[in-house]
Amino acid sequence: MGLTSNTVLALAIVAGVLLFAATVWFWPKLSGRTWRALGGRIALLLVTQLALFSAVGLAANKSFLFYGSWADLFGQETSMGKVVDHSMSSEDIKVVDKQKLDVPGGGKPQVGGQILKIAITGQKSKITSPGYVWLPPEYFQPQHKDKNFPAAVVLTGYPGTAENLIKGLNYPMTAFKQAKAGKMKPMILVMLRPTVAPPRDTECVDIPDGPQTETFFGQDLPKAIQSTFRVGDKPQNMGFIGNSTGGYCALKIATHYPQTFGAAAGLSAYYEAPDDPTTGNLFHGDEKLKKRADVLHSVANKKPSGTSFLVTSSQKGEPNLGDTKKFIKKVKGPDRVSSIILDSGGHNFNTWRREIAPMLVWMSGRIQA
């Protein structure tokens, strides 16, 4: 009965429907001019409106994850976060906490996998960013203890939180179900937000005299993943996924680092870094750096190396359809490009949830252990 659970949302919707029906049914009986009748009408209208607004609010919160729990909603979450260091094989990634997946037997990692809350520090960029890692059940099973796994970096949009990838977009649960159904290979997911220098939107750019965000995602992060988890160091071992700003970053980083990432999926990606108050001055007048941040320019001038790309848009509701078609035309063999073009879908969580399952199946077919 958590704040974001389907049960609570369903109860709120049912309550709204029943109270609306009760208002229609009892209204004639409360049509008199007595204080009792007047009070009854007011009470029915108030509780019906409250139920309807509650249902709408719960649906919006479930989609965009403004509040994660009842305590969070009512301001009762006041305890400070805890930092727990766990000895691991790399100094780049520190495990802060561990979570289980809400599936039968999920308390055992070999059954339900495990979600690690982490802090990642880049050796070259000197950037530290929080995130989560999904380790599938097979990672903990004795018969696979010496085997490597494919891995994919997953980024949210801006500003976003890494937690949205777990609760809002359901990446671990979707990967768990798809693998269990035999539709994809078990895959490690490293989930972060692109905002590594909040509140600034750095657009995964190495900003002159500023955050070296491209270096963090293109060099530091892959090395940290490979040295901490059982992941190979070849392009076919690692992919990059993202939505919105994260999708732009995924396509750009994979284009610039084909020796590291063998596949990239940009969900509702745009193809050129914006210039607005959230980004500040990204390029400091450096035209070469600005062109490097232009995905269409970069992919057109990329030396083909066998990188696989997936881009998504919709015929109605997404502003990136035209540029997505341009991107598709600019990819040259042996690089490959695929697409998901929905008939209708806006720039939102609901659209991305429709694309994530088939995208993960596609990614599983492009990267391997």
Side-chain angles (χ1 to χ4, degrees):
M1 297 292 284
L3 179 63
T4 59
S5 71
N6 290 326
T7 302
V8 170
L9 178 59
L11 288 174
I13 294 172
V14 170
V17 171
L18 291 178
L19 285 167
F20 177 79
T23 300
V24 174
W25 181 262
F26 287 109
W27 197 262
K29 297 180 181 180
L30 298 172
S31 60
R33 296 188 176 183
T34 65
W35 285 108
R36 184 177 179 181
L38 180 61
R41 292 198 298 271
I42 292 173
L44 276 175
L45 288 173
L46 283 176
V47 295
T48 301
Q49 291 288 337
L50 180 61
L52 292 174
F53 279 120
S54 296
V56 172
L58 286 167
N61 185 68
K62 182 175 175 61
S63 179
F64 295 102
L65 208 67
F66 300 116
Y67 299 96
S69 66
W70 294 107
D72 188 18
L73 175 65
F74 293 111
Q76 297 172 336
E77 287 285 8
T78 57
S79 60
M80 299 299 290
K82 62 178 181 178
V83 176
V84 180
D85 287 333
H86 296 261
S87 177
M88 296 193 73
S89 60
S90 171
E91 296 179 355
D92 301 323
I93 295 181
K94 297 294 184 183
V95 177
V96 177
D97 202 359
K98 298 178 181 179
Q99 304 174 18
K100 67 177 183 178
L101 200 63
D102 188 16
V103 297
K108 298 179 179 179
Q110 63 269 31
V111 175
Q114 193 170 73
I115 301 171
L116 306 178
K117 187 175 183 180
I118 59 170
I120 304 170
T121 300
Q123 295 300 306
K124 288 187 176 181
S125 65
K126 307 303 179 186
I127 289 173
T128 297
S129 179
Y132 293 88
V133 173
W134 156 250
L135 298 174
E138 292 80 3
Y139 192 87
F140 301 95
Q141 294 170 359
Q143 63 269 36
H144 300 297
K145 65 183 180 65
D146 297 321
K147 295 181 180 179
N148 283 351
F149 286 78
V153 175
V154 187
L155 295 189
T156 67
Y158 172 83
T161 64
E163 189 179 24
N164 279 346
L165 296 168
I166 299 173
K167 291 187 175 181
L169 293 176
N170 306 319
Y171 266 95
M173 183 64 79
T174 303
F176 175 85
K177 290 180 177 179
Q178 295 289 89
K180 192 171 184 180
K183 295 180 180 180
M184 62 174 280
K185 299 186 292 286
M187 184 187 304
I188 295 172
L189 301 176
V190 183
M191 300 167 283
L192 304 92
R193 61 178 183 170
T195 315
V196 296
R200 188 175 188 183
D201 179 10
T202 57
E203 292 291 323
C204 297
V205 168
D206 278 351
I207 302 172
D209 299 319
Q212 303 296 287
T213 314
E214 180 175 320
T215 296
F216 175 78
F217 285 115
Q219 299 180 46
D220 290 338
L221 181 57
K223 289 180 180 178
I225 295 169
Q226 291 158 358
S227 62
T228 304
F229 304 104
R230 300 200 306 273
V231 177
D233 59 2
K234 301 292 191 297
Q236 62 265 31
N237 304 140
M238 191 171 295
F240 211 130
I241 300 165
N243 61 270
S244 190
T245 300
Y248 161 76
C249 290
L251 298 177
K252 181 174 69 173
I253 298 296
T255 300
H256 294 168
Y257 297 91
Q259 74 279 11
T260 302
F261 297 99
L267 310 184
S268 302
Y270 49 85
Y271 299 88
E272 187 176 6
D275 181 8
D276 58 36
T278 66
T279 64
N281 189 347
L282 292 175
F283 310 114
H284 292 253
D286 188 331
E287 286 300 317
K288 185 177 180 181
L289 188 61
K290 187 175 182 180
K291 282 186 178 181
R292 181 176 175 83
D294 185 328
V295 174
L296 295 179
H297 176 271
S298 294
V299 77
N301 291 276
K302 176 183 181 294
K303 183 178 179 180
S305 58
T307 307
S308 294
F309 297 98
L310 172 70
V311 288
T312 78
S313 187
S314 61
Q315 296 287 353
K316 186 177 181 181
E318 281 281 21
N320 73 334
L321 180 60
D323 282 343
T324 296
K325 291 180 178 179
K326 291 179 183 177
F327 179 88
I328 292 171
K329 290 181 180 179
K330 289 180 182 294
V331 175
K332 302 184 291 285
D335 290 351
R336 296 183 291 172
V337 62
S338 305
S339 67
I340 298 174
I341 308 296
L342 302 176
D343 290 335
S344 177
H347 198 79
N348 55 53
F349 277 28
N350 183 58
T351 294
W352 302 326
R353 281 192 288 260
R354 295 160 63 195
E355 297 166 344
I356 287 171
M359 178 275 296
L360 286 175
V361 173
W362 173 90
M363 181 64 72
S364 175
R366 297 300 190 273
I367 61 175
Q368 58 191 0

